[in-house]
Amino acid sequence: MNRKNLGARLGLYPTPVVVVGTYDKDDKPNLITLAWAGICCSEPPCLQISVRKERHSWSAITERGAFSVNVPSKKYVVETDYIGIASGRSADKFAATGLTPVKGELVDAPLVAEFPVSMECKLKHSIEVGSHDLFVGEIVACWIDEDAPKEGTKVRAEKIDPLLYMPGGEYFGIGEFIAGGYTLGKKLIEK
Ligand SMILES: Cc1cc2nc3c(=O)[nH]c(=O)nc-3n(C[C@H](O)[C@H](O)[C@H](O)COP(=O)(O)O)c2cc1C
């Protein structure tokens, strides 16, 4: 195989794109776009997000001990990108985007009404890593578009229609269905 070493670089392609909601010290609802985010534990269900200290959202997460993680659909790419450029220090991002803040039922953080998935998270761990601090949030509620769930724990991907991010600076959508998980690989066990 022809490969070259790019050195010490982020090579996880792609990452999800999430929009995290908080209330700041003046109780103003704010949003931040994050691409450094992911699931980090099944039981209890937890997410990890990485935030630079200089972000307005960093103080809000630390002070309130809570945040929401919202999954934007592809059609909200303009709003999502704006939320990742403007700062809540000087901008009202809900007003500028026309998105609607909904108070979390269980945590002190706003959710985005228009997005197909929103999770309410309680801050469980904060870890200094380097440029970013890692926040682990325990998910205490997961709100989802009523049409999205299928049988069991499966969801209709087309109802979520999430954005993906290629580190370096490009948004993509998801591709076609390929196969169910934990199934095809069995062929190699039975051989
Ligand atoms: C696609 C994208 C991904 C981003 N990912 C992160 C991230 O993972 N961590 C972070 O601290 N900032 C990230 N940012 C930058 C913040 O969203 C941006 O600095 C924002 O304006 C901070 O808002 P705030 O000051 O209101 O908290 C990202 C921006 C974009 C556009």
Side-chain angles (χ1 to χ4, degrees), residues 18-23 41 44-49 61 64-71 101-113 115-124 135-144:
V18 297
V19 170
V20 163
T22 49
Y23 289 116
C41 186
C46 291
L47 288 173
Q48 61 185 44
I49 57 170
I61 294 167
R64 302 279 176 142
F67 55 91
S68 71
V69 175
N70 306 271
V71 180
V102 178
K103 200 171 170 6
E105 280 194 3
L106 297 172
V107 307
D108 190 16
L111 318 179
V112 181
F115 289 1
V117 186
S118 296
M119 287 160 281
E120 299 187 33
C121 299
K122 282 187 181 162
L123 182 62
K124 194 173 167 69
F135 295 124
V136 175
E138 181 171 344
I139 303 164
V140 293
C142 176
W143 300 92
I144 188 157

Side-chain angles (χ1 to χ4, degrees), residues 30 32-36 50 52 55-57 84 86-88 93 171:
N30 188 35
I32 180 172
T33 298
L34 301 177
W36 298 175
S50 291
R52 286 183 185 263
R55 309 294 188 227
H56 192 54
S57 302
S87 176
K93 299 194 214 180
Y171 297 105

